[in-house]
PDB file of all heavy atoms in Angstrom:
ATOM      1  N   ALA O  63     -41.260  17.440 201.938  1.00 89.00           N
ATOM      2  CA  ALA O  63     -40.360  18.344 201.222  1.00 89.00           C
ATOM      3  C   ALA O  63     -40.755  18.671 199.795  1.00 89.00           C
ATOM      4  O   ALA O  63     -40.307  19.674 199.252  1.00 89.00           O
ATOM      5  CB  ALA O  63     -38.938  17.766 201.216  1.00 89.00           C
ATOM      6  N   GLY O  64     -41.576  17.837 199.134  1.00 89.00           N
ATOM      7  CA  GLY O  64     -41.853  18.045 197.726  1.00 89.00           C
ATOM      8  C   GLY O  64     -40.592  17.835 196.901  1.00 89.00           C
ATOM      9  O   GLY O  64     -39.680  17.087 197.304  1.00 89.00           O
ATOM     10  N   PRO O  65     -40.463  18.504 195.733  1.00 92.00           N
ATOM     11  CA  PRO O  65     -39.251  18.351 194.920  1.00 92.00           C
ATOM     12  C   PRO O  65     -37.975  18.765 195.653  1.00 92.00           C
ATOM     13  O   PRO O  65     -36.879  18.341 195.261  1.00 92.00           O
ATOM     14  CB  PRO O  65     -39.523  19.277 193.727  1.00 92.00           C
ATOM     15  CG  PRO O  65     -41.008  19.378 193.652  1.00 92.00           C
ATOM     16  CD  PRO O  65     -41.487  19.331 195.076  1.00 92.00           C
ATOM     17  N   ALA O  66     -38.111  19.579 196.702  1.00 92.00           N
ATOM     18  CA  ALA O  66     -36.936  19.996 197.479  1.00 92.00           C
ATOM     19  C   ALA O  66     -36.352  18.840 198.286  1.00 92.00           C
ATOM     20  O   ALA O  66     -35.418  19.044 199.063  1.00 92.00           O
ATOM     21  CB  ALA O  66     -37.304  21.154 198.405  1.00 92.00           C
ATOM     22  N   ILE O  67     -36.857  17.624 198.080  1.00 91.00           N
ATOM     23  CA  ILE O  67     -36.253  16.452 198.695  1.00 91.00           C
ATOM     24  C   ILE O  67     -34.780  16.351 198.311  1.00 91.00           C
ATOM     25  O   ILE O  67     -33.964  15.797 199.048  1.00 91.00           O
ATOM     26  CB  ILE O  67     -37.006  15.173 198.262  1.00 91.00           C
ATOM     27  CG1 ILE O  67     -36.520  13.936 199.017  1.00 91.00           C
ATOM     28  CG2 ILE O  67     -36.901  14.939 196.768  1.00 91.00           C
ATOM     29  CD1 ILE O  67     -36.835  13.939 200.472  1.00 91.00           C
ATOM     30  N   VAL O  68     -34.420  16.947 197.151  1.00 91.00           N
ATOM     31  CA  VAL O  68     -33.018  16.990 196.736  1.00 91.00           C
ATOM     32  C   VAL O  68     -32.181  17.722 197.788  1.00 91.00           C
ATOM     33  O   VAL O  68     -31.076  17.287 198.137  1.00 91.00           O
ATOM     34  CB  VAL O  68     -32.883  17.679 195.369  1.00 91.00           C
ATOM     35  CG1 VAL O  68     -31.409  17.838 194.992  1.00 91.00           C
ATOM     36  CG2 VAL O  68     -33.623  16.893 194.306  1.00 91.00           C
ATOM     37  N   LEU O  69     -32.710  18.845 198.296  1.00 91.00           N
ATOM     38  CA  LEU O  69     -31.996  19.587 199.339  1.00 91.00           C
ATOM     39  C   LEU O  69     -31.893  18.765 200.615  1.00 91.00           C
ATOM     40  O   LEU O  69     -30.889  18.831 201.337  1.00 91.00           O
ATOM     41  CB  LEU O  69     -32.708  20.915 199.618  1.00 91.00           C
ATOM     42  CG  LEU O  69     -32.824  21.887 198.442  1.00 91.00           C
ATOM     43  CD1 LEU O  69     -33.575  23.149 198.868  1.00 91.00           C
ATOM     44  CD2 LEU O  69     -31.444  22.232 197.904  1.00 91.00           C
ATOM     45  N   SER O  70     -32.944  17.982 200.903  1.00 89.00           N
ATOM     46  CA  SER O  70     -32.924  17.120 202.092  1.00 89.00           C
ATOM     47  C   SER O  70     -31.791  16.105 201.997  1.00 89.00           C
ATOM     48  O   SER O  70     -31.078  15.848 202.977  1.00 89.00           O
ATOM     49  CB  SER O  70     -34.268  16.409 202.247  1.00 89.00           C
ATOM     50  OG  SER O  70     -35.326  17.329 202.348  1.00 89.00           O
ATOM     51  N   PHE O  71     -31.620  15.530 200.798  1.00 87.00           N
ATOM     52  CA  PHE O  71     -30.532  14.577 200.608  1.00 87.00           C
ATOM     53  C   PHE O  71     -29.171  15.258 200.740  1.00 87.00           C
ATOM     54  O   PHE O  71     -28.222  14.681 201.276  1.00 87.00           O
ATOM     55  CB  PHE O  71     -30.644  13.900 199.240  1.00 87.00           C
ATOM     56  CG  PHE O  71     -31.498  12.665 199.260  1.00 87.00           C
ATOM     57  CD1 PHE O  71     -32.702  12.624 198.573  1.00 87.00           C
ATOM     58  CD2 PHE O  71     -31.112  11.533 199.961  1.00 87.00           C
ATOM     59  CE1 PHE O  71     -33.494  11.486 198.585  1.00 87.00           C
ATOM     60  CE2 PHE O  71     -31.886  10.389 199.986  1.00 87.00           C
ATOM     61  CZ  PHE O  71     -33.085  10.374 199.282  1.00 87.00           C
ATOM     62  N   LEU O  72     -29.068  16.507 200.252  1.00 86.00           N
ATOM     63  CA  LEU O  72     -27.802  17.229 200.378  1.00 86.00           C
ATOM     64  C   LEU O  72     -27.464  17.489 201.842  1.00 86.00           C
ATOM     65  O   LEU O  72     -26.319  17.324 202.268  1.00 86.00           O
ATOM     66  CB  LEU O  72     -27.877  18.545 199.611  1.00 86.00           C
ATOM     67  CG  LEU O  72     -27.796  18.444 198.083  1.00 86.00           C
ATOM     68  CD1 LEU O  72     -28.085  19.798 197.447  1.00 86.00           C
ATOM     69  CD2 LEU O  72     -26.422  17.937 197.660  1.00 86.00           C
ATOM     70  N   ILE O  73     -28.461  17.908 202.627  1.00 86.00           N
ATOM     71  CA  ILE O  73     -28.230  18.184 204.054  1.00 86.00           C
ATOM     72  C   ILE O  73     -27.848  16.897 204.784  1.00 86.00           C
ATOM     73  O   ILE O  73     -26.880  16.854 205.550  1.00 86.00           O
ATOM     74  CB  ILE O  73     -29.483  18.818 204.683  1.00 86.00           C
ATOM     75  CG1 ILE O  73     -29.726  20.206 204.089  1.00 86.00           C
ATOM     76  CG2 ILE O  73     -29.335  18.903 206.208  1.00 86.00           C
ATOM     77  CD1 ILE O  73     -31.062  20.811 204.468  1.00 86.00           C
ATOM     78  N   ALA O  74     -28.615  15.836 204.527  1.00 83.00           N
ATOM     79  CA  ALA O  74     -28.328  14.557 205.181  1.00 83.00           C
ATOM     80  C   ALA O  74     -26.963  14.031 204.749  1.00 83.00           C
ATOM     81  O   ALA O  74     -26.193  13.506 205.560  1.00 83.00           O
ATOM     82  CB  ALA O  74     -29.416  13.545 204.853  1.00 83.00           C
ATOM     83  N   GLY O  75     -26.651  14.189 203.452  1.00 82.00           N
ATOM     84  CA  GLY O  75     -25.363  13.723 202.953  1.00 82.00           C
ATOM     85  C   GLY O  75     -24.200  14.478 203.560  1.00 82.00           C
ATOM     86  O   GLY O  75     -23.155  13.884 203.860  1.00 82.00           O
ATOM     87  N   LEU O  76     -24.357  15.796 203.750  1.00 84.00           N
ATOM     88  CA  LEU O  76     -23.299  16.587 204.387  1.00 84.00           C
ATOM     89  C   LEU O  76     -23.075  16.108 205.809  1.00 84.00           C
ATOM     90  O   LEU O  76     -21.922  15.913 206.244  1.00 84.00           O
ATOM     91  CB  LEU O  76     -23.681  18.067 204.381  1.00 84.00           C
ATOM     92  CG  LEU O  76     -22.734  18.998 205.146  1.00 84.00           C
ATOM     93  CD1 LEU O  76     -21.334  18.954 204.544  1.00 84.00           C
ATOM     94  CD2 LEU O  76     -23.276  20.428 205.160  1.00 84.00           C
ATOM     95  N   PHE O 227     -40.685  24.344 193.545  1.00 90.00           N
ATOM     96  CA  PHE O 227     -39.626  23.426 193.973  1.00 90.00           C
ATOM     97  C   PHE O 227     -39.719  23.151 195.458  1.00 90.00           C
ATOM     98  O   PHE O 227     -39.544  22.015 195.902  1.00 90.00           O
ATOM     99  CB  PHE O 227     -38.265  24.024 193.621  1.00 90.00           C
ATOM    100  CG  PHE O 227     -37.100  23.118 193.946  1.00 90.00           C
ATOM    101  CD1 PHE O 227     -36.866  21.983 193.199  1.00 90.00           C
ATOM    102  CD2 PHE O 227     -36.246  23.407 195.004  1.00 90.00           C
ATOM    103  CE1 PHE O 227     -35.800  21.135 193.492  1.00 90.00           C
ATOM    104  CE2 PHE O 227     -35.183  22.579 195.304  1.00 90.00           C
ATOM    105  CZ  PHE O 227     -34.964  21.442 194.546  1.00 90.00           C
ATOM    106  N   MET O 228     -40.028  24.196 196.232  1.00 91.00           N
ATOM    107  CA  MET O 228     -40.250  24.035 197.670  1.00 91.00           C
ATOM    108  C   MET O 228     -41.681  24.482 197.971  1.00 91.00           C
ATOM    109  O   MET O 228     -41.953  25.675 198.061  1.00 91.00           O
ATOM    110  CB  MET O 228     -39.249  24.858 198.485  1.00 91.00           C
ATOM    111  CG  MET O 228     -39.343  24.608 199.989  1.00 91.00           C
ATOM    112  SD  MET O 228     -38.213  25.685 200.941  1.00 91.00           S
ATOM    113  CE  MET O 228     -36.625  25.093 200.347  1.00 91.00           C
ATOM    114  N   GLY O 238     -41.987  23.748 202.975  1.00 89.00           N
ATOM    115  CA  GLY O 238     -41.145  24.856 203.384  1.00 89.00           C
ATOM    116  C   GLY O 238     -39.825  24.325 203.928  1.00 89.00           C
ATOM    117  O   GLY O 238     -39.504  23.134 203.820  1.00 89.00           O
ATOM    118  N   TRP O 239     -39.036  25.224 204.538  1.00 90.00           N
ATOM    119  CA  TRP O 239     -37.732  24.816 205.047  1.00 90.00           C
ATOM    120  C   TRP O 239     -37.839  23.824 206.205  1.00 90.00           C
ATOM    121  O   TRP O 239     -37.007  22.919 206.335  1.00 90.00           O
ATOM    122  CB  TRP O 239     -36.922  26.042 205.468  1.00 90.00           C
ATOM    123  CG  TRP O 239     -36.190  26.654 204.322  1.00 90.00           C
ATOM    124  CD1 TRP O 239     -36.450  27.842 203.706  1.00 90.00           C
ATOM    125  CD2 TRP O 239     -35.077  26.086 203.618  1.00 90.00           C
ATOM    126  NE1 TRP O 239     -35.589  28.055 202.665  1.00 90.00           N
ATOM    127  CE2 TRP O 239     -34.722  26.999 202.582  1.00 90.00           C
ATOM    128  CE3 TRP O 239     -34.341  24.907 203.754  1.00 90.00           C
ATOM    129  CZ2 TRP O 239     -33.679  26.754 201.703  1.00 90.00           C
ATOM    130  CZ3 TRP O 239     -33.292  24.667 202.875  1.00 90.00           C
ATOM    131  CH2 TRP O 239     -32.974  25.579 201.871  1.00 90.00           C
ATOM    132  N   GLY O 241     -40.056  21.559 206.471  1.00 89.00           N
ATOM    133  CA  GLY O 241     -40.321  20.275 205.834  1.00 89.00           C
ATOM    134  C   GLY O 241     -39.080  19.662 205.219  1.00 89.00           C
ATOM    135  O   GLY O 241     -38.870  18.442 205.275  1.00 89.00           O
ATOM    136  N   VAL O 242     -38.231  20.522 204.629  1.00 91.00           N
ATOM    137  CA  VAL O 242     -36.963  20.028 204.073  1.00 91.00           C
ATOM    138  C   VAL O 242     -36.108  19.418 205.177  1.00 91.00           C
ATOM    139  O   VAL O 242     -35.504  18.352 205.002  1.00 91.00           O
ATOM    140  CB  VAL O 242     -36.207  21.179 203.375  1.00 91.00           C
ATOM    141  CG1 VAL O 242     -34.775  20.766 203.045  1.00 91.00           C
ATOM    142  CG2 VAL O 242     -36.931  21.592 202.102  1.00 91.00           C
ATOM    143  N   LEU O 243     -36.080  20.072 206.328  1.00 88.00           N
ATOM    144  CA  LEU O 243     -35.297  19.541 207.444  1.00 88.00           C
ATOM    145  C   LEU O 243     -35.886  18.250 207.993  1.00 88.00           C
ATOM    146  O   LEU O 243     -35.162  17.310 208.331  1.00 88.00           O
ATOM    147  CB  LEU O 243     -35.193  20.594 208.553  1.00 88.00           C
ATOM    148  CG  LEU O 243     -34.357  21.825 208.208  1.00 88.00           C
ATOM    149  CD1 LEU O 243     -34.412  22.842 209.344  1.00 88.00           C
ATOM    150  CD2 LEU O 243     -32.907  21.437 207.925  1.00 88.00           C
ATOM    151  N   ALA O 245     -37.660  16.119 206.289  1.00 87.00           N
ATOM    152  CA  ALA O 245     -37.352  15.097 205.290  1.00 87.00           C
ATOM    153  C   ALA O 245     -35.899  14.658 205.392  1.00 87.00           C
ATOM    154  O   ALA O 245     -35.579  13.476 205.236  1.00 87.00           O
ATOM    155  CB  ALA O 245     -37.657  15.625 203.889  1.00 87.00           C
ATOM    156  N   ALA O 246     -34.999  15.617 205.668  1.00 85.00           N
ATOM    157  CA  ALA O 246     -33.587  15.261 205.853  1.00 85.00           C
ATOM    158  C   ALA O 246     -33.422  14.307 207.026  1.00 85.00           C
ATOM    159  O   ALA O 246     -32.615  13.368 206.976  1.00 85.00           O
ATOM    160  CB  ALA O 246     -32.749  16.521 206.063  1.00 85.00           C
ATOM    161  N   VAL O 249     -34.691  10.879 205.615  1.00 81.00           N
ATOM    162  CA  VAL O 249     -33.833  10.213 204.628  1.00 81.00           C
ATOM    163  C   VAL O 249     -32.430   9.969 205.162  1.00 81.00           C
ATOM    164  O   VAL O 249     -31.635   9.285 204.508  1.00 81.00           O
ATOM    165  CB  VAL O 249     -33.752  11.012 203.302  1.00 81.00           C
ATOM    166  CG1 VAL O 249     -35.122  11.206 202.723  1.00 81.00           C
ATOM    167  CG2 VAL O 249     -33.032  12.347 203.486  1.00 81.00           C
ATOM    168  N   TYR O 253     -28.355   6.636 204.664  1.00 73.00           N
ATOM    169  CA  TYR O 253     -26.896   6.587 204.715  1.00 73.00           C
ATOM    170  C   TYR O 253     -26.387   5.645 205.812  1.00 73.00           C
ATOM    171  O   TYR O 253     -25.252   5.785 206.263  1.00 73.00           O
ATOM    172  CB  TYR O 253     -26.340   7.987 204.946  1.00 73.00           C
ATOM    173  CG  TYR O 253     -26.588   8.938 203.801  1.00 73.00           C
ATOM    174  CD1 TYR O 253     -27.743   9.716 203.762  1.00 73.00           C
ATOM    175  CD2 TYR O 253     -25.677   9.070 202.768  1.00 73.00           C
ATOM    176  CE1 TYR O 253     -27.980  10.599 202.717  1.00 73.00           C
ATOM    177  CE2 TYR O 253     -25.901   9.948 201.717  1.00 73.00           C
ATOM    178  CZ  TYR O 253     -27.050  10.707 201.698  1.00 73.00           C
ATOM    179  OH  TYR O 253     -27.278  11.576 200.667  1.00 73.00           O
ATOM    180  N   ILE O 289     -28.908  11.935 194.552  1.00 85.00           N
ATOM    181  CA  ILE O 289     -29.398  13.220 194.058  1.00 85.00           C
ATOM    182  C   ILE O 289     -30.029  13.055 192.679  1.00 85.00           C
ATOM    183  O   ILE O 289     -31.110  13.590 192.396  1.00 85.00           O
ATOM    184  CB  ILE O 289     -28.256  14.239 194.028  1.00 85.00           C
ATOM    185  CG1 ILE O 289     -27.796  14.550 195.456  1.00 85.00           C
ATOM    186  CG2 ILE O 289     -28.670  15.512 193.313  1.00 85.00           C
ATOM    187  CD1 ILE O 289     -26.513  15.342 195.535  1.00 85.00           C
ATOM    188  N   SER O 292     -33.486  11.251 192.915  1.00 89.00           N
ATOM    189  CA  SER O 292     -34.545  12.083 193.500  1.00 89.00           C
ATOM    190  C   SER O 292     -34.998  13.171 192.531  1.00 89.00           C
ATOM    191  O   SER O 292     -36.185  13.517 192.471  1.00 89.00           O
ATOM    192  CB  SER O 292     -34.083  12.693 194.820  1.00 89.00           C
ATOM    193  OG  SER O 292     -32.922  13.488 194.653  1.00 89.00           O
ATOM    194  N   LEU O 293     -34.072  13.707 191.729  1.00 91.00           N
ATOM    195  CA  LEU O 293     -34.445  14.700 190.723  1.00 91.00           C
ATOM    196  C   LEU O 293     -35.341  14.091 189.649  1.00 91.00           C
ATOM    197  O   LEU O 293     -36.372  14.660 189.271  1.00 91.00           O
ATOM    198  CB  LEU O 293     -33.187  15.289 190.078  1.00 91.00           C
ATOM    199  CG  LEU O 293     -32.502  16.440 190.823  1.00 91.00           C
ATOM    200  CD1 LEU O 293     -31.164  16.757 190.167  1.00 91.00           C
ATOM    201  CD2 LEU O 293     -33.391  17.679 190.864  1.00 91.00           C
ATOM    202  N   LEU O 449     -31.357  18.116 213.291  1.00 78.00           N
ATOM    203  CA  LEU O 449     -32.358  17.264 212.661  1.00 78.00           C
ATOM    204  C   LEU O 449     -33.203  16.517 213.700  1.00 78.00           C
ATOM    205  O   LEU O 449     -34.358  16.179 213.436  1.00 78.00           O
ATOM    206  CB  LEU O 449     -31.674  16.268 211.723  1.00 78.00           C
ATOM    207  CG  LEU O 449     -31.025  16.900 210.476  1.00 78.00           C
ATOM    208  CD1 LEU O 449     -30.298  15.834 209.661  1.00 78.00           C
ATOM    209  CD2 LEU O 449     -32.064  17.603 209.616  1.00 78.00           C
TER     210      LEU O 449
END
Side-chain angles (χ1 to χ4, degrees):
I67 187 67
V68 175
L69 300 179
S70 302
F71 272 114
L72 285 172
I73 293 170
L76 174 61
F227 183 71
M228 186 184 296
W239 275 109
V242 168
L243 292 176
V249 302
Y253 294 90
I289 294 169
S292 59
L293 276 171
L449 292 176

